[in-house]
Amino acid sequence: MGPPPRRRQLLLSLALLATAAACCAAGAAPRLSPNYYRRSCPRVERIVSDAVAAKQRANPSTAAGTLRLFFHDCFVNGCDASVLVSPLSSSGAAPERAAEINLSLPGDAFDAVARAKAALEAECPGVVSCADALALAARDLVAALGGPRFPVALGRRDSRRSDARDVEGNLPRTNMSARAMVRLFARKGLSPREMVALAGAHTVGFSHCAEFAPRIYGYRGASHDPRLNPEFARALQRSCAGYRTDPTVSIFNDIVTPRDFDETYYKNLPHGLGLLASDAAIWEYPPTRVFAQRYAANRTAFFEDFAAAMQRLGAVGVKTGRQGVVRRRCDALD
Ligand code: HEM
Ligand SMILES: *[C@@H]1O[C@H](CO)[C@@H](O)[C@H](O)[C@H]1NC(C)=O
Ligand SMILES: *[C@@H]1O[C@H](CO)[C@@H](O)[C@H](O)[C@H]1NC(C)=O
Ligand SMILES: *[C@@H]1O[C@H](CO)[C@@H](O)[C@H](O)[C@H]1NC(C)=O
């Protein structure tokens, strides 16, 4: 003998409420799924990959920029496309991107996502979030550079908030110690091993001279940061000589194989060829060095860990269900 039907129904909905609360409490695993758009937009993966492949062919710097964009999106208030909002489009507070001007987030990456979104809107209007489009674009472009391919769980919602003031404290800076970086990644739920695997993204792309200038000009009275290979340091000093008048001067993060997504980033570190102080810091600190050593010696180990870590990065702080919206335009909040 159970309770009468009405009461049973009430109990059932209470149970559902409890499940819902459990699922969406802060820190609980969000429900993303690779099949999220199976009915509503079955060709989503193909649409994004075609759009970003065309963009990458037209401008080969797109891939690294998009990977970095994805990282920054996920570390500031979760993977919710808040990084994509343009300062030109927003009437209210300065969006996240405005805080990043000195880091010059790359225009081609924004364009790659905009193109993917436009193609998605043409086929499945109002269905696929900008956050999912960015996650898929980053995955496709890593593979395009020769990196690992991995499944992307979908169902992220976009935020209606993008505020430059949210950036401070949520992104790693080149002057951080490895210990401080480990702490920051831990706050996002990522382990030291995942952090070192993700830092392998610096096997592609470039950095502006301003990001490492303190290492090569007037470093504590020395000619350069002693952790830098002396020949490399001199080459950097020459290449960056005019960076104050032309701040666009940039250097490949991995000078050995700049366009290949491979384990060379880690191989460079013991030779003083890590470009950023943060790269050198990862090598200096034993708890992170062990992983860098492993990846330097074993591309398979790097690719496996990078693929797994990217999937974990893609779940950081995601909004699902009613927590967010599907924005029609990725560069605007409405
Ligand atoms: C561990 C701490 C990290 C620090 C301190 C850091 C810092 C930086 C800095 C300063 C730049 C140069 C930006 C510029 O001058 O335009 C850069 C570039 C880049 N970063 Fe990181 N980063 C870190 C981790 C990551 C992670 C986890 C990823 C991705 C998973 C990533 C992906 C990239 C990529 C792909 C570029 C090249 C961008 C381009 O070519 O446009 N970084 N990073
Ligand atoms: C950018 O860099 C310049 C010079 O280093 C500095 O004066 C300015 O405050 C920085 N802007 C931001 C948004 O960080
Ligand atoms: C590290 O760099 C940031 C800007 O990127 C700056 O605000 C901060 O003061 C620096 N910290 C140290 C210890 O130099
Ligand atoms: C490289 O790493 C892979 C994956 O972790 C592992 O299966 C393999 O045994 C490693 N190879 C060597 C030579 O250590």
Side-chain angles (χ1 to χ4, degrees), residues 168 173-176 211:
E168 182 62 38
R173 296 300 179 199
T174 56
N175 59 7
M176 277 183 166
E211 297 292 350

Side-chain angles (χ1 to χ4, degrees), residues 46-246:
R46 184 59 194 269
I47 295 168
V48 172
S49 69
D50 285 353
V52 301
K55 176 70 192 178
Q56 173 67 10
R57 275 194 301 276
N59 193 327
S61 71
T62 303
T66 306
L67 178 55
R68 179 156 179 257
L69 210 51
F70 175 62
F71 169 51
H72 285 205
D73 186 31
C74 295
F75 262 42
V76 182
N77 292 337
C79 317
D80 61 1
S82 53
V83 76
L84 299 177
V85 177
S86 162
L88 299 175
S89 82
S90 78
S91 42
E96 283 173 25
R97 232 180 126 169
E100 296 289 298
I101 286 169
N102 281 348
L103 299 177
S104 37
L105 289 172
D108 287 311
F110 290 97
D111 189 47
V113 182
R115 288 182 187 209
K117 177 67 171 175
L120 289 166
E121 289 300 297
E123 190 157 318
C124 332
V127 169
V128 181
S129 67
C130 296
D132 279 345
L134 175 53
L136 286 170
R139 184 273 308 269
D140 290 341
L141 290 166
V142 164
L145 294 176
R149 205 183 152 77
F150 46 88
V152 175
L154 300 168
R156 296 168 191 78
R157 309 278 284 180
D158 300 327
S159 74
R160 279 222 199 269
R161 174 190 171 88
S162 179
D163 191 321
R165 288 167 298 188
D166 295 346
V167 172
E168 182 62 38
N170 281 309
L171 290 178
R173 296 300 179 199
T174 56
N175 59 7
M176 277 183 166
S177 67
R179 185 195 291 270
M181 287 191 281
V182 164
R183 260 200 313 271
L184 170 59
F185 277 69
R187 258 172 49 214
K188 308 295 176 184
L190 299 172
S191 68
R193 176 175 170 171
E194 288 166 332
M195 181 185 102
V196 177
L198 289 170
H202 290 176
T203 182
V204 293
F206 52 78
S207 296
H208 293 81
C209 293
E211 297 292 350
F212 53 85
R215 306 188 75 194
I216 53 171
Y217 301 121
Y219 185 88
R220 297 176 190 172
S223 64
H224 56 80
D225 181 341
R227 297 172 299 180
L228 277 169
N229 174 298
E231 246 177 275
F232 183 43
R234 280 191 290 275
L236 291 175
Q237 285 163 346
R238 282 192 300 274
S239 304
C240 290
Y243 90 97
R244 280 184 198 280
T245 42
D246 179 6

